[in-house]
Amino acid sequence: MVTRAESAALTRRALLDAAAQLLDLGGPEAVTLREVGARAGVSRGAPYRHFTGKDSLLTAVVTESWQRIGDQVHALRADPALSASTKLRGALHALIGVGRDQPHLYQLLFRRSGHRPEELGEGLDRVRRQLCGPADDPAVDRMRAAGRFQGEFLAIVTGLAGERNARHYAALVLTSTHGIAEMELSGHLGADGLHATADELIDTLVGVVADAGVGDHADTGEAA
């Protein structure tokens, strides 16, 4: 017999899956609580018992995506059979893959909070909630999931570039990869654009970080 908690969990799961599907099909504009509920096959009021509105629902979808990406990057980092370069290449391809397969979701991953009218005007209260809020606050959960990914990613970059310049190169390759994903989505790469592929550019980025690691070991007198 299904308990009330189990039933609620199943309903929440169905709502999140439906929202993700609608997002993939038509972008954020296609996601409404009414459409999500209909697609999930639940009562009209069910979505409102799990989410305060469309933004909290989309935030939960984004949080789950960051959690999945974080899991992928953690698995890469923890795999002793992979070289440091392979780990970094795999982490970057995890991001590029979301851009290719789920472009609407990808855009939401990097949307800054506070850029929509309904998110403005909260000032210090919003900042305090993000930093100190409870675990079930959607905004806090999103920040924690994204922060976990960043920590795993930084550890991979550190393994290749060395600790001294890891943050600098992590920022360089993340911003560059974001640009690569955007340029690929907009059609500016390839034969009709810059005559480059995302995979080639990712390889170049990995090479830059690897070279930085070699240089760092040389400067400190460590073995490469």
Side-chain angles (χ1 to χ4, degrees):
M1 186 173 180
V2 178
T3 66
R4 180 175 298 182
E6 290 171 336
S7 178
L10 290 172
T11 299
R12 179 181 171 85
R13 177 75 268 149
L15 292 169
L16 288 169
D17 290 344
Q21 292 165 6
L22 288 168
L23 178 64
D24 288 344
L25 290 172
E29 295 77 13
V31 181
T32 66
L33 265 64
R34 176 173 293 184
E35 288 297 323
V36 168
R39 193 177 188 89
V42 299
S43 67
R44 183 171 295 185
Y48 298 91
R49 290 194 289 272
H50 292 268
F51 303 99
T52 59
K54 172 177 175 174
D55 279 348
S56 68
L57 173 57
L58 285 174
T59 297
V61 171
V62 170
T63 297
E64 287 201 339
S65 182
W66 276 126
Q67 289 170 342
R68 286 192 296 270
I69 298 170
D71 288 344
Q72 289 178 268
V73 176
H74 172 76
L76 289 165
R77 182 180 67 81
D79 191 340
L82 300 179
S83 68
S85 292
T86 299
K87 293 177 181 181
L88 179 57
R89 188 176 292 105
L92 297 180
H93 277 296
L95 286 176
I96 292 286
V98 177
R100 287 172 174 166
D101 299 336
Q102 298 175 284
H104 295 298
L105 173 61
Y106 182 84
Q107 294 294 330
L108 289 182
L109 287 174
F110 294 97
R111 189 189 76 188
R112 287 182 58 190
S113 298
H115 279 211
R116 292 168 59 93
E118 59 268 34
E119 293 173 330
L120 297 174
E122 298 179 18
L124 292 176
D125 288 339
R126 177 169 58 83
V127 174
R128 188 179 299 109
R129 186 175 68 250
Q130 289 177 339
L131 295 177
C132 308
D136 58 353
D137 185 315
V140 173
D141 290 343
R142 172 180 172 165
M143 291 181 65
R144 287 171 177 158
R148 176 182 174 243
F149 157 77
Q150 291 177 8
E152 295 286 352
F153 184 80
L154 180 60
I156 286 179
V157 175
T158 300
L160 185 59
E163 187 171 353
R164 183 173 61 175
N165 296 317
R167 292 189 178 275
H168 174 79
Y169 283 103
L172 174 66
V173 295
L174 276 180
T175 54
S176 298
T177 300
H178 183 52
I180 291 168
E182 293 280 3
M183 293 288 279
E184 185 178 62
L185 285 172
S186 63
H188 287 93
L189 298 180
D192 296 329
L194 296 173
H195 297 273
T197 69
D199 293 342
E200 291 170 346
L201 295 174
I202 291 297
D203 286 343
T204 299
L205 284 174
V206 173
V208 168
V209 179
D211 289 344
V214 171
D216 186 60
H217 287 310
D219 291 342
T220 58
E222 298 176 9

